[in-house]
Coordinates of all heavy atoms in Angstrom, one line a residue:
C7 N 15.2 -19.5 -18.5 CA 16.6 -19.4 -18.1 C 16.8 -19.9 -16.7 O 16.2 -19.5 -15.8 CB 17.0 -17.9 -18.1 SG 18.8 -17.6 -17.8
L9 N 19.5 -20.2 -14.1 CA 20.7 -19.8 -13.4 C 21.0 -20.7 -12.3 O 20.8 -20.4 -11.2 CB 20.7 -18.3 -13.1 CG 20.4 -17.4 -14.2 CD1 20.3 -15.9 -13.7 CD2 21.5 -17.4 -15.3
I23 N 30.4 -7.6 -13.7 CA 30.8 -8.0 -15.1 C 31.5 -6.8 -15.7 O 30.8 -5.7 -15.7 CB 29.5 -8.4 -15.8 CG1 28.8 -9.7 -15.2 CG2 29.9 -8.7 -17.4 CD1 27.6 -10.0 -15.8
I26 N 32.0 -8.0 -21.9 CA 31.4 -9.2 -22.5 C 31.9 -9.1 -24.0 O 31.9 -8.0 -24.6 CB 29.9 -9.1 -22.6 CG1 29.4 -9.2 -21.1 CG2 29.3 -10.1 -23.4 CD1 27.8 -8.8 -21.1
L45 N 30.4 -16.3 -26.6 CA 30.4 -15.2 -25.6 C 31.3 -15.5 -24.5 O 31.3 -16.5 -23.8 CB 28.9 -15.1 -25.1 CG 28.7 -13.9 -24.1 CD1 27.2 -13.3 -24.4 CD2 28.8 -14.3 -22.7
M47 N 32.6 -13.8 -20.9 CA 32.2 -12.8 -19.9 C 33.4 -12.7 -18.9 O 33.8 -13.8 -18.3 CB 31.0 -13.3 -19.2 CG 30.5 -12.4 -18.0 SD 29.1 -13.1 -17.3 CE 27.9 -13.3 -18.6
G56 N 30.0 -19.1 -23.0 CA 28.9 -19.7 -23.6 C 29.1 -19.6 -25.2 O 29.8 -18.8 -25.7
L76 N 23.1 -6.3 -24.8 CA 24.1 -6.9 -23.8 C 24.7 -5.9 -22.9 O 25.2 -6.2 -21.9 CB 25.2 -7.8 -24.5 CG 24.7 -9.0 -25.2 CD1 25.7 -9.7 -25.9 CD2 24.2 -10.0 -24.0
F79 N 24.2 -5.8 -19.1 CA 24.9 -6.8 -18.2 C 26.2 -6.3 -17.7 O 26.7 -7.0 -16.9 CB 25.0 -8.1 -19.0 CG 23.6 -8.7 -19.2 CD1 23.2 -8.9 -20.6 CD2 22.7 -9.0 -18.3 CE1 22.0 -9.4 -20.9 CE2 21.4 -9.6 -18.6 CZ 21.1 -9.8 -20.0
F83 N 26.1 -6.6 -9.9 CA 24.9 -7.2 -9.5 C 25.0 -7.6 -8.1 O 25.9 -8.4 -7.7 CB 24.4 -8.2 -10.4 CG 24.3 -7.8 -11.9 CD1 25.3 -7.7 -12.8 CD2 23.0 -7.4 -12.3 CE1 25.1 -7.4 -14.1 CE2 22.8 -7.0 -13.6 CZ 23.9 -7.0 -14.5
L89 N 20.1 -9.4 -11.3 CA 20.6 -10.1 -12.4 C 19.5 -10.8 -13.3 O 19.4 -10.5 -14.5 CB 21.7 -11.1 -12.1 CG 22.4 -11.8 -13.2 CD1 23.1 -10.8 -14.1 CD2 23.4 -12.8 -12.7
L93 N 17.5 -10.0 -17.6 CA 17.5 -10.8 -18.8 C 16.8 -10.1 -19.9 O 15.9 -9.2 -19.7 CB 16.9 -12.1 -18.4 CG 17.7 -12.9 -17.5 CD1 16.9 -14.2 -17.1 CD2 19.1 -13.4 -18.0
L94 N 17.2 -10.5 -21.1 CA 16.8 -9.9 -22.3 C 15.2 -10.1 -22.5 O 14.8 -11.1 -22.2 CB 17.6 -10.2 -23.4 CG 19.1 -10.1 -23.4 CD1 19.7 -10.8 -24.5 CD2 19.3 -8.6 -23.5
R101 N 18.9 -16.6 -28.5 CA 20.2 -17.3 -28.3 C 21.1 -16.3 -27.5 O 22.1 -16.9 -26.9 CB 20.8 -17.5 -29.7 CG 20.1 -18.5 -30.5 CD 20.5 -18.7 -31.9 NE 20.3 -17.5 -32.7 CZ 20.6 -17.4 -34.0 NH1 21.1 -18.4 -34.6 NH2 20.4 -16.3 -34.6
L102 N 20.8 -15.0 -27.3 CA 21.5 -14.2 -26.4 C 21.4 -14.6 -25.0 O 22.3 -14.6 -24.2 CB 21.2 -12.7 -26.6 CG 21.8 -12.0 -27.9 CD1 21.2 -10.6 -28.0 CD2 23.3 -12.1 -27.9
N103 N 20.1 -14.8 -24.6 CA 19.9 -15.2 -23.2 C 20.5 -16.7 -23.0 O 21.1 -16.8 -21.9 CB 18.4 -15.3 -22.9 CG 17.8 -14.1 -22.3 OD1 18.6 -13.2 -21.9 ND2 16.5 -14.0 -22.3
E104 N 20.5 -17.4 -24.0 CA 21.1 -18.8 -23.8 C 22.6 -18.7 -23.6 O 23.2 -19.2 -22.7 CB 20.8 -19.5 -25.1 CG 21.4 -21.0 -25.0 CD 21.0 -21.9 -26.2 OE1 20.1 -21.5 -27.0 OE2 21.7 -22.8 -26.4
L105 N 23.2 -17.8 -24.4 CA 24.7 -17.6 -24.3 C 25.0 -17.0 -22.9 O 26.0 -17.3 -22.2 CB 25.2 -16.7 -25.3 CG 25.4 -17.2 -26.8 CD1 25.7 -16.1 -27.8 CD2 26.5 -18.2 -26.8
F106 N 24.2 -15.9 -22.5 CA 24.4 -15.3 -21.2 C 24.2 -16.3 -20.1 O 25.1 -16.3 -19.2 CB 23.5 -14.1 -21.1 CG 23.7 -13.3 -19.8 CD1 24.7 -12.5 -19.6 CD2 22.8 -13.5 -18.8 CE1 24.9 -11.8 -18.4 CE2 22.9 -12.9 -17.6 CZ 23.9 -12.0 -17.4
C107 N 23.2 -17.0 -20.1 CA 22.9 -17.9 -19.0 C 24.0 -19.0 -18.9 O 24.4 -19.3 -17.8 CB 21.5 -18.5 -19.1 SG 20.1 -17.3 -18.8
T108 N 24.4 -19.5 -20.0 CA 25.4 -20.5 -20.0 C 26.7 -19.9 -19.6 O 27.4 -20.5 -18.6 CB 25.6 -21.0 -21.4 OG1 24.5 -21.6 -21.9 CG2 26.8 -22.1 -21.5
A109 N 27.1 -18.7 -19.8 CA 28.3 -18.1 -19.4 C 28.2 -17.7 -17.9 O 29.2 -18.0 -17.1 CB 28.6 -16.7 -20.1
I110 N 27.1 -17.4 -17.4 CA 26.9 -17.1 -15.9 C 27.0 -18.4 -15.2 O 27.7 -18.5 -14.2 CB 25.6 -16.5 -15.6 CG1 25.6 -14.9 -16.0 CG2 25.1 -16.5 -14.1 CD1 26.4 -14.1 -15.1
D111 N 26.3 -19.5 -15.7 CA 26.5 -20.8 -14.9 C 27.9 -21.3 -15.0 O 28.3 -21.8 -13.9 CB 25.6 -21.8 -15.7 CG 24.1 -21.8 -15.2 OD1 23.8 -21.1 -14.3 OD2 23.2 -22.4 -15.9

Side-chain angles (χ1 to χ4, degrees):
C7 184
L9 299 175
I23 299 171
I26 298 173
L45 182 146
M47 177 184 304
L76 285 173
F79 296 119
F83 297 90
L89 183 60
L93 292 178
L94 300 170
R101 296 175 293 183
L102 283 176
N103 266 348
E104 183 179 340
L105 284 171
F106 179 78
C107 291
T108 302
I110 285 287
D111 279 349

